[in-house]
Amino acid sequence: MLSPIFDAFVEASPVSVMMRVLMENIFNSSRMNQLFETSSVRQYSQELLSLEA
């Protein structure tokens, strides 16, 4: 299920891998966007300019 490279990290430092997974789930982009939309007072969101030619 997991790649051999990932298995090496789990074996060497399981706490680091667990913390990374935890942080990715807590600070996922949809949750952060929702938090911003519900709590922003003076800030606003907009699209960034594209540098495509």
Side-chain angles (χ1 to χ4, degrees):
M1 184 168 120
L2 300 173
S3 71
I5 296 171
F6 186 73
D7 288 337
F9 282 104
V10 171
E11 290 294 323
S13 183
V15 174
S16 298
V17 174
M18 289 187 294
M19 287 303 297
R20 167 101 187 229
V21 170
L22 178 68
M23 299 299 278
E24 285 179 358
N25 285 318
I26 290 174
F27 296 112
N28 68 23
S29 61
S30 61
R31 186 177 292 165
M32 290 290 105
N33 287 338
Q34 181 182 12
L35 179 63
F36 176 78
E37 292 296 327
T38 59
S39 62
S40 64
V41 176
R42 296 173 54 192
Q43 298 88 357
Y44 60 92
S45 60
Q46 67 182 44
E47 294 292 320
L48 294 175
L49 294 176
S50 175
L51 298 177
E52 295 177 11

